[in-house]
């Protein structure tokens, strides 16, 4: 592997940190080191990583993607709580809607009821 056009082999944490600082990346040096160590410093194609810059860039992309997913999961959980609280506050209306749906379209009712039971909005039927 090369860094600054010099052959360095497996980089040190310090070299990784220097590269991260230079490129102003979000990933930490330790995360980058751990990421590539688990991959034996090989690319998806099984080839050795050529440059430290590319190794840091790839690790940063993986890190940023994980962070986005984490934020989305948190937002979804928050949204689910809002929906749950709203449905609880409107429980009489929800019951009436479910009764109407049960009479109008029993198969759709069963599907909706199962989903609501999975989410904990209604009790599972035995």
């Amino acid at each position: 592997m090369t860094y600054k056009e010099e052959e360095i082999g497996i980089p040190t944490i310090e070299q990784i940190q220097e590269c991260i600082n230079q490129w102003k990346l979000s990933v930490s040096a330790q995360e980058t080191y751990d990421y590539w160590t688990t991959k034996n410093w090989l690319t998806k194609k099984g080839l050795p990583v050529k440059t430290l810059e590319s190794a840091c860039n790839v690790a940063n992309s993986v890190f940023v993607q994980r962070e986005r997913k984490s934020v989305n999961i948190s937002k979804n959980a928050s949204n689910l709580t809002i929906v749950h609280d709203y449905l609880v506050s409107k429980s009489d209306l929800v019951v009436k809607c479910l009764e109407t749906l049960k009479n109008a379209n029993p198969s759709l009712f069963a599907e909706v009821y199962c989903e609501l039971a999975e989410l904990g909005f209604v009790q599972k039927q035995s």
Side-chain angles (χ1 to χ4, degrees):
M1 178 181 314
T2 61
Y3 178 51
K4 296 183 178 179
E5 299 180 16
E6 291 181 27
E7 190 64 37
I8 61 167
I10 302 296
T12 64
I13 296 289
E14 291 76 22
Q15 289 169 318
I16 295 170
Q17 189 61 59
E18 183 181 324
C19 184
I20 287 170
N21 292 345
Q22 178 184 355
W23 292 95
K24 295 177 176 58
L25 301 175
S26 301
V27 70
S28 75
Q30 190 64 55
E31 288 168 322
T32 302
Y33 185 85
D34 293 346
Y35 175 81
W36 283 107
T37 298
T38 61
K39 296 185 172 298
N40 295 316
W41 296 87
L42 300 174
T43 66
K44 283 193 262 184
K45 295 181 180 179
L47 301 172
V49 176
K50 291 184 180 180
T51 67
L52 180 56
E53 291 87 345
S54 65
C56 290
N57 247 336
V58 169
N60 189 67
S61 295
V62 169
F63 171 78
V64 168
Q65 195 170 28
R66 284 182 189 154
E67 286 295 305
R68 284 186 188 140
K69 284 182 183 177
S70 175
V71 167
N72 287 339
I73 289 169
S74 296
K75 283 182 182 176
N76 289 343
S78 176
N79 289 341
L80 187 57
T81 301
I82 292 167
V83 169
H84 179 272
D85 292 348
Y86 177 79
L87 288 176
V88 167
S89 73
K90 303 291 184 184
S91 59
D92 292 341
L93 179 62
V94 171
V95 169
K96 287 178 185 175
C97 288
L98 286 172
E99 288 171 359
T100 303
L101 182 58
K102 186 176 185 178
N103 294 330
N105 190 335
S107 63
L108 180 58
F109 165 78
E111 189 177 325
V112 169
Y113 196 92
C114 285
E115 288 293 323
L116 289 173
E118 288 295 319
L119 295 170
F121 294 123
V122 295
Q123 292 181 345
K124 291 184 180 181
Q125 292 178 332
S126 42

